[in-house]
Amino acid sequence: MTALKADRDTVNRAGLCFSYPAKAGIRFFAGAIAAIEVDSGLLIAGIESKALKGAGIVQEQVDTTGGTDGVERVTIRRGQWRVANSAGADQLTLKDVGSPAFIVDDQTVAKTDGDGKRSLAGKVIDVEPAGVWVEF
């Protein structure tokens, strides 16, 4: 590409909602943590795995249990979401604001990567009794 020599109509989007091709064999529930599988590039529901990238929160239930990889699409929304907090030593506290949160399952995040078994969900924004606010 060469540099512009005239005005350009550059297309944009708000950057909050995205639709990604999904991995088969998963029932995505609305409100679930979603992640992109590093190897396949497909969206999956959050699980304990070191090979994911936190993507956002599922916006509507989609069932790919009888499908094929990449055929169905799942809409996720990025932003700040309150999800469940892990328990015990892996529980996030207000001291963790600004730190990473790691995916435990499709509704829970933790303070640590579980000795390399968990992937990054996003950044801790706030912690309250009802859960952890994570920026995806």
Side-chain angles (χ1 to χ4, degrees), residues 12-69:
N12 75 333
R13 61 182 177 184
L16 296 177
C17 285
F18 297 88
S19 177
Y20 292 114
K23 187 161 184 82
I26 298 170
R27 176 168 287 162
F28 294 85
F29 292 99
I33 296 170
I36 295 175
E37 203 173 43
V38 174
D39 291 340
S40 70
L42 297 172
L43 196 75
I44 70 165
I47 59 170
E48 186 173 78
S49 169
K50 62 181 180 178
L52 305 176
K53 297 177 195 174
I57 300 295
V58 176
Q59 296 301 290
E60 60 188 19
Q61 189 177 131
V62 177
D63 187 355
T64 68
T65 55
T68 304
D69 282 354

Side-chain angles (χ1 to χ4, degrees), residues 94-111:
L94 282 173
K95 293 188 283 185
D96 298 306
V97 169
S99 298
F102 296 90
I103 301 169
V104 174
D105 57 36
D106 66 353
Q107 69 171 341
T108 311
V109 294
K111 178 182 234 168

Side-chain angles (χ1 to χ4, degrees), residues 72-121:
E72 295 287 331
R73 295 184 76 86
V74 174
T75 300
I76 60 105
R77 188 172 176 96
R78 293 198 177 135
Q80 297 177 5
W81 296 91
R82 188 178 69 201
V83 296
N85 197 350
S86 189
D90 250 352
Q91 187 171 18
L92 291 148
T93 68
L94 282 173
K95 293 188 283 185
D96 298 306
V97 169
S99 298
F102 296 90
I103 301 169
V104 174
D105 57 36
D106 66 353
Q107 69 171 341
T108 311
V109 294
K111 178 182 234 168
T112 72
D113 69 357
D115 294 323
K117 294 185 288 186
R118 299 181 189 135
S119 295
L120 178 68

